[in-house]
């Protein structure tokens, strides 16, 4: 079967490469000529473990190709996945202009039956809107179906998440659409991945409800951490013990400087916004957003408190990306923290294994990008861990103590044992375990 994936961003490229790996013939289309040119050379424009190899392998075997010609991609495919960007607007709503534009182009290119699937995270009702645009542009000449098939990929483990999903959600309302989508995902039957088949609105809603619930777990534990700090409890043990209750589960209960990335912040804002438009105030989701904002502000205060003021101090900042194993800095708490330190007259010696290039475009001022964690620590007044890259988990703290001007560790990801670090003569500041 031939499929077309529109949008060679994060979700689109992973989807295209993984479907090709399933043995389908995939054309991945993007209007960005430079990006397509570089993909044609087998170069993936961002860091995602295992993806570039998969792209190159499937290109070499003739199952994956790249093009800027959307009409051609549509005509050569039975199924078209819309994976274009859906950025946040100022008011929290989702900018659907790219989705609308692609829908219009699909409508104009339509030359027979197609199944058009929204895969980008889109507000409930968007797939219907895509359907209306295609119908208008194709002047009702051809039969087509629309469906929603949200993705649940995490950056840093996207290939694994696609290949071994917890579930596949299919929002489709015709037998033909459901049959085609089941067929596309048939390799996953072997690993017994559960399929949930719903109507389109429900499927769109499942994605938002899932992300908002995960974000809620994070904001909840972050709020508990603030209280633990005040009352002398250890949130690490609180979270671990809570997680042993199978009804709660251990995942997404790690406190820190708040959630970032291209999904949770945007999706919680969008959900709150389209709920409000529907006349429903989502009290919990609104609180999750507020708590997350407060948490990153708290992180800066924590650093300020540890240093006795930021002005003229040098901070060794480890980690700039929104999480490990990605070079993505979108809405990263680390970037917010870095900017606040600079605004308050501090200096930064920053290090991230792959995020420094992206960070260098947004951080201006007194920043030195360093060659490793030890280089960052040299002469700094405190060591701050903002992203839990594996290579930061076993730092030689004796060496760090010698390199730092002052032995202070602000561990915003709670990756070190406070007692062991204090025994080495450090002042230790974690999250909810002081
Ligand atoms: C998230 C979801 O986990 C995916 O299932 C979903 O497909 C994706 O959004 C999306 O909508 O496209 P992602 O943003 O890549 O994936 O990253 P996560 O691993 O979920 O982490 C999000 C943020 O939460 C990070 O800043 C991370 O540091 C933070 N986090 C996560 C915590 O602070 N504590 C935790 O316990 C877990």
């Amino acid at each position: 079967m031939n499929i077309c994936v529109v949008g060679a961003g994060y979700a689109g490229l992973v989807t295209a490469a993984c479907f090709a790996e399933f043995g389908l013939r995939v054309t991945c289309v993007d209007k960005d000529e430079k990006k397509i040119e570089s993909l044609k050379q087998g170069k993936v424009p961002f860091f995602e473990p295992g993806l570039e190899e998969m792209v190159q392998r499937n290109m070499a075997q003739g199952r994956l190709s790249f093009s800027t010609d959307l009409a051609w991609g549509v005509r050569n495919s039975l199924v078209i996945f819309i994976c274009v960007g859906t950025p946040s607007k100022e008011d929290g709503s989702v900018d659907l202009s790219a989705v609308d534009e692609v829908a219009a182009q699909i409508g104009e290119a339509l030359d027979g039956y197609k199944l058009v699937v929204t895969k980008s995270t889109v507000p409930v009702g968007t797939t219907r809107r895509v359907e209306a645009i295609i119908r208008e542009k194709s002047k009702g000449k051809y039969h087509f179906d629309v469906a929603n098939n949200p993705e649940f990929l995490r950056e840093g483990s996207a290939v694994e998440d696609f290949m071994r999903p917890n579930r596949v959600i299919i929002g489709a309302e015709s037998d033909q659409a459901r049959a085609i989508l089941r067929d596309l995902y048939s390799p996953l039957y072997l690993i017994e991945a559960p399929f949930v088949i719903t109507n389109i609105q429900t499927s769109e809603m499942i994605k938002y409800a899932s992300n908002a619930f995960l974000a809620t777990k994070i904001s909840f534990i972050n709020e508990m951490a603030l209280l633990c700090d005040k009352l002398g409890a250890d949130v690490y043990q609180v979270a671990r013990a809570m997680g042993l209750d199978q009804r709660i589960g251990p995942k997404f209960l790690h406190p820190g400087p708040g959630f970032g990335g291209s999904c949770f912040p945007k999706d919680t804002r969008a959900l709150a916004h389209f709920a409000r438009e529907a006349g429903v105030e989502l009290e919990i989701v609104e609180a999750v957003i507020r708590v997350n904002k407060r948490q990153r502000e708290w992180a800066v205060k924590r650093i300020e408190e540890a240093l006795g003021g930021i002005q003229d101090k040098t901070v060794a900042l480890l980690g700039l990306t929104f999480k490990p194993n990605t070079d993505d800095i979108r809405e990263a708490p680390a970037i917010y923290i870095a900017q606040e330190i600079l605004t308050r007259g501090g200096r930064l010696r920053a290090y991230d294994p792959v995020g420094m290039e992206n960070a260098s475009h947004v951080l201006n001022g007194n920043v030195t990008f360093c060659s490793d964690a030890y280089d960052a620590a040299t002469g700094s007044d405190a060591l701050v861990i903002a992203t839990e890259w594996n290579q930061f988990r076993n730092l030689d703290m004796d060496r760090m103590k010698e390199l730092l001007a002052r032995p202070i560790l602000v561990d915003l990801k709670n990756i070190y044992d406070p007692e062991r670090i204090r025994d080495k003569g450090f002042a230790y500041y974690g999250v909810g375990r002081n």
Side-chain angles (χ1 to χ4, degrees):
M1 196 189 304
N2 290 3
I3 69 169
C4 175
V5 174
V6 186
Y10 196 84
L13 213 45
V14 174
T15 302
C18 291
F19 273 136
E21 189 78 7
F22 282 176
L24 301 162
R25 274 186 305 276
V26 184
T27 309
C28 184
V29 176
D30 199 293
K31 65 178 182 183
D32 183 338
E33 286 180 13
K34 251 176 78 188
K35 191 188 266 183
I36 290 298
E37 263 326 297
S38 118
L39 282 163
K40 281 182 176 168
Q41 317 296 318
K43 289 200 193 83
V44 171
F46 49 83
F47 176 79
E48 177 63 34
L51 184 60
E52 196 160 79
E53 295 85 321
M54 188 180 268
V55 165
Q56 290 170 357
R57 181 168 63 245
N58 282 282
M59 284 172 76
Q61 292 170 358
R63 286 188 301 268
L64 178 59
S65 62
F66 295 96
S67 170
T68 50
D69 189 348
L70 188 138
W72 182 86
V74 169
R75 290 197 198 103
N76 277 290
S77 307
L78 175 63
V79 190
I80 299 120
F81 283 93
I82 301 181
C83 295
V84 294
T86 51
S88 262
K89 291 203 234 174
E90 276 284 307
D91 63 357
S93 64
V94 178
D95 178 356
L96 288 172
S97 54
V99 173
D100 289 354
E101 191 188 315
V102 166
Q105 289 177 22
I106 293 172
E108 277 158 12
L110 218 60
D111 61 349
Y113 176 82
K114 309 280 171 192
L115 170 59
V116 180
V117 188
T118 49
K119 205 171 204 358
S120 308
T121 303
V122 287
V124 177
T126 304
T127 306
R128 287 279 173 236
R129 169 173 160 152
V130 163
E131 182 178 36
I133 295 172
I134 297 175
R135 180 161 301 122
E136 188 207 321
K137 292 289 174 186
S138 63
K139 303 191 178 73
K141 276 194 282 190
Y142 304 99
H143 173 52
F144 67 96
D145 278 315
V146 291
N148 177 252
N149 169 225
E151 55 85 14
F152 295 92
L153 315 176
R154 287 163 304 170
E155 293 193 17
S157 55
V159 170
E160 171 72 9
D161 287 345
F162 193 99
M163 292 295 174
R164 302 191 158 273
N166 286 175
R167 77 297 206 195
V168 175
I169 311 296
I170 293 175
E173 294 171 15
S174 83
D175 289 340
Q176 191 168 4
R178 283 190 286 262
I180 292 172
L181 280 166
R182 273 210 206 92
D183 204 30
L184 284 185
Y185 282 107
S186 56
L188 298 181
Y189 291 151
L190 286 174
I191 57 163
E192 297 183 13
F195 280 63
V196 179
I197 315 248
T198 71
N199 72 19
I200 289 172
Q201 285 89 325
T202 306
S203 165
E204 290 170 331
M205 189 66 205
I206 288 169
K207 170 70 192 207
Y208 278 99
S210 302
N211 273 7
F213 189 77
L214 292 169
T216 302
K217 282 185 94 173
I218 301 169
S219 276
F220 180 85
I221 202 67
N222 280 338
E223 196 162 53
M224 292 303 115
L226 294 189
L227 186 60
C228 285
D229 256 351
K230 293 274 178 217
L231 303 181
D234 180 347
V235 76
Y236 183 83
Q237 292 186 38
V238 171
R240 184 164 176 274
M242 281 171 66
L244 289 171
D245 183 328
Q246 287 178 6
R247 294 169 302 176
I248 298 175
K251 296 190 174 154
F252 281 72
L253 284 181
H254 304 288
F259 55 77
S262 64
C263 303
F264 289 171
K266 171 168 77 99
D267 293 351
T268 45
R269 286 194 297 266
L271 176 60
H273 189 275
F274 71 72
R276 234 177 285 129
E277 281 191 331
V280 181
E281 196 73 32
L282 296 183
E283 309 268 4
I284 294 176
V285 177
E286 303 270 8
V288 165
I289 297 167
R290 284 197 304 275
V291 168
N292 195 53
K293 181 170 175 287
R294 182 178 70 179
Q295 194 66 14
R296 51 179 64 190
E297 292 163 359
W298 171 88
V300 175
K301 278 196 215 125
R302 185 53 127 199
I303 296 167
E304 197 157 37
E305 178 190 87
L307 280 166
I310 287 175
Q311 175 89 38
D312 293 329
K313 305 278 172 43
T314 304
V315 174
L317 185 63
L318 302 189
L320 294 165
T321 53
F322 83 96
K323 66 175 202 175
N325 299 323
T326 176
D327 61 357
D328 196 339
I329 57 161
R330 284 176 286 178
E331 303 210 28
I335 295 292
Y336 171 84
I337 292 165
Q339 275 160 341
E340 284 298 306
I341 290 171
L342 295 172
T343 308
R344 286 158 200 238
R347 291 178 293 268
L348 278 178
R349 292 183 63 77
Y351 173 69
D352 187 284
V354 297
M356 291 197 289
E357 160 82 30
N358 285 340
S360 70
H361 301 307
V362 299
L363 292 181
N364 304 308
N366 217 328
V367 195
T368 308
F369 290 101
C370 298
S371 56
D372 62 21
Y374 301 99
D375 183 22
T378 306
S380 295
D381 294 295
L383 189 62
V384 175
I385 298 174
T387 312
E388 69 280 29
W389 285 89
N390 272 341
Q391 59 175 268
F392 302 153
R393 288 177 185 272
N394 278 305
L395 295 169
D396 177 344
M397 283 302 174
D398 295 321
R399 188 173 162 207
M400 279 295 177
K401 199 174 161 211
E402 292 196 345
L403 293 172
L404 285 161
R406 293 161 71 191
I408 298 173
L409 175 62
V410 184
D411 179 7
L412 295 173
K413 283 292 179 173
N414 282 352
I415 58 179
Y416 282 93
D417 177 357
E419 301 228 332
R420 275 191 47 208
I421 296 299
R422 287 190 184 119
D423 284 351
K424 288 195 180 289
F426 275 81
Y428 177 88
Y429 298 82
V431 187
R433 51 190 326 205
N434 291 288

